[in-house]
Amino acid sequence: MSNTTALDVAWAIDWLRRSAAVVAENRVLLSELDRAIGDGDHGENLDRGFSAVVEKLDAELPTTPGAAFKLAAMTLMSKVGGAAGPLYGTAYLRAATAVGDAPVLDSATLAAALAAARDGVAARGKAEVGDKTMIDTWTPAVDAAANAAADGAEPAAVLAAAASAAEAGAVSTDPLVAHKGRASYLGERAIGHRDPGAVSSAMILRAAALAAGGES
Ligand code: ADP
Ligand code: MG
């Protein structure tokens, strides 16, 4: 498996298409997770949003990774209700701003874009690590990406490191009480349940790594 896929617009589009596919495949699972500690709509919300992203990608041809991220941001913000739409929309919008009109992302730019996305979610949702939200996925992913990039890893390896840390981050929400979002109304009854947004975020970050060909 090649480790050298350039993070160009083709990668960004493939990432978004793979995100749509993994969300569609896991629509029921994501809504079941949300039914346990929320209102049961997370899978439907994201599936609707990413399906619309794919339709937009079919109609428009973004020419840079940043343009693809911006398309995703605008579409997710307008199509996904609830907490997750604005949060994911902000993540993609901040990533788009971070990469500007670069045709190809190097490891440092990629790590900076992931950090900007996380910072956008944190600014919008005011959640910190340990609050049982998607931040528990994004922050370890951003840290792993920064470390990998600083060690000189190729972009695909940076994404693979981020995805693995993201998956561990999602699992780390299991024992937590929620301090943000609907799950915070449950108090200790949220303990033992995995946060749906943390899970969808890990799926989306894994999709980024798969699009880069760093992992099968
Ligand atoms: P809603 O809660 O409005 O029904 P979703 O079900 O689509 O929206 O998304 C719920 C997810 O959103 C949660 O699992 C959590 O990861 C994330 N979330 C909710 N509130 C926040 C917040 N303030 N900061 C970060 N993430 C949040
Ligand atoms: Mg919900």
Side-chain angles (χ1 to χ4, degrees):
M1 182 75 53
S2 163
N3 224 23
T4 55
T5 303
L7 301 194
D8 56 9
V9 68
W11 163 78
I13 291 171
D14 191 30
W15 175 17
L16 293 170
R17 289 186 181 282
R18 285 173 183 265
S19 298
V22 74
V23 163
E25 274 163 32
N26 290 284
R27 179 175 54 85
V28 172
L29 168 79
L30 292 170
S31 284
E32 272 170 8
L33 291 172
D34 194 32
R35 198 162 301 124
I37 60 169
D39 59 354
D41 63 357
H42 189 61
E44 323 295 331
N45 279 344
L46 279 192
D47 187 32
R48 181 172 355 98
F50 275 100
S51 297
V53 169
V54 167
E55 274 174 33
K56 274 260 188 210
L57 288 171
D58 288 339
E60 295 173 26
L61 277 182
T63 56
T64 59
F69 297 160
K70 190 160 184 201
L71 176 155
M74 296 309 173
T75 309
L76 292 172
M77 280 192 200
S78 70
K79 298 283 179 186
V80 183
L87 292 169
Y88 274 118
T90 303
Y92 280 107
L93 198 57
R94 295 288 187 96
T97 303
V99 303
D101 57 5
V104 176
L105 313 186
D106 61 17
S107 291
T109 308
L110 168 65
L114 292 173
R118 186 277 314 275
D119 291 348
V121 173
R124 181 120 201 174
K126 309 267 184 286
E128 295 175 3
V129 169
D131 284 344
K132 199 179 183 97
T133 72
M134 60 174 72
I135 286 290
D136 290 316
T137 291
W138 277 94
T139 290
V142 163
D143 292 347
N147 287 335
D151 287 349
E154 297 282 335
V158 172
L159 284 171
S164 295
E167 285 157 359
V171 172
S172 81
T173 65
D174 290 6
L176 299 176
V177 170
H179 297 295
K180 297 287 173 191
R182 292 179 195 279
S184 65
Y185 308 148
L186 291 180
E188 302 217 327
R189 280 181 291 144
I191 292 174
H193 298 284
R194 196 161 299 173
D195 179 67
V199 172
S200 62
S201 293
M203 289 172 176
I204 287 165
L205 287 165
R206 177 59 69 191
L210 292 172
E215 301 234 320
S216 60

